[in-house]
Amino acid sequence: MKKLMNYGKSLLTMVCAICTLPALSAQSYEKLNRLEGYQTTTYYSDGSKAQAESMAARCDKVIAFYKPLTEFEPEVTLLVLSSADWSSYTNFPVYGMPHYNNAKTLIVASEDNDFWKSFIPPLDQLPAPLAQRISDTYTDDENVLPKALGFVSV
């Protein structure tokens, strides 16, 4: 009987330890700003509120679109980080590369970065039809191509 009780205590201790692991490894975002008003839990670096709002709205729309199709609603934490905050919240070495640092935390850049600039050369170096297509796709409401993507107007 004593052996069974010791086994039970050991099992209970292991279960308690396993159940507290997520709490022990949880990331604190106290140095970031919390964005309110969105389904997606979102934190952002100082000066990045507009980018955080845009990304949170996109995540909310994607979740709303897929929920009835998959009958699943993921819990996602979105971090919209400046280059200064990047290394504090991820070990990923390339600033600007969107990635997950665990199953539920999506990390994206909030600033202009070399990662995205490296994908598309300046538009004036591309064939005119391709440059026009990129311009049509990425032009904002003021008819301006975002500098954060490294674009030069055609």
Side-chain angles (χ1 to χ4, degrees):
M1 184 63 135
K2 186 175 181 181
K3 190 174 184 180
L4 185 58
M5 288 184 65
N6 285 338
Y7 175 76
K9 286 180 186 177
S10 296
L11 184 60
L12 181 60
T13 301
M14 286 176 35
V15 169
C16 289
I18 290 169
C19 290
T20 59
L21 280 177
L24 293 175
S25 63
Q27 175 85 43
S28 169
Y29 303 121
E30 64 191 30
K31 294 181 182 179
L32 297 175
N33 303 289
R34 171 83 189 253
L35 185 64
E36 300 297 335
Y38 295 87
Q39 176 183 346
T40 304
T41 302
T42 304
Y43 295 89
Y44 61 95
S45 297
D46 287 340
S48 303
K49 186 174 183 180
Q51 295 90 335
E53 289 172 333
S54 174
M55 291 300 301
R58 289 178 189 180
C59 287
D60 286 0
K61 287 178 183 177
V62 167
I63 291 169
F65 176 81
Y66 281 106
K67 183 179 177 182
L69 299 173
T70 62
E71 297 179 3
F72 172 72
E73 186 174 340
E75 293 178 31
V76 177
T77 298
L78 173 64
L79 304 183
V80 182
L81 301 176
S82 66
S83 58
D85 287 334
W86 190 263
S87 63
S88 297
Y89 297 97
T90 183
N91 292 326
F92 199 86
V94 179
Y95 178 69
M97 173 65 181
H99 66 283
Y100 281 90
N101 72 350
N102 59 38
K104 296 181 181 182
T105 305
L106 173 60
I107 301 172
V108 298
S110 66
E111 301 172 347
D112 192 0
N113 61 80
D114 292 336
F115 174 77
W116 288 110
K117 285 182 182 180
S118 69
F119 282 89
I120 301 175
L123 295 183
D124 60 357
Q125 294 178 15
L126 296 174
L130 178 58
Q132 188 60 52
R133 190 167 178 194
I134 291 170
S135 179
D136 292 345
T137 302
Y138 292 103
T139 299
D140 65 15
D141 293 339
E142 284 83 38
N143 208 24
V144 175
L145 289 166
K147 291 180 183 173
L149 294 177
F151 292 124
V152 176
S153 295
V154 287

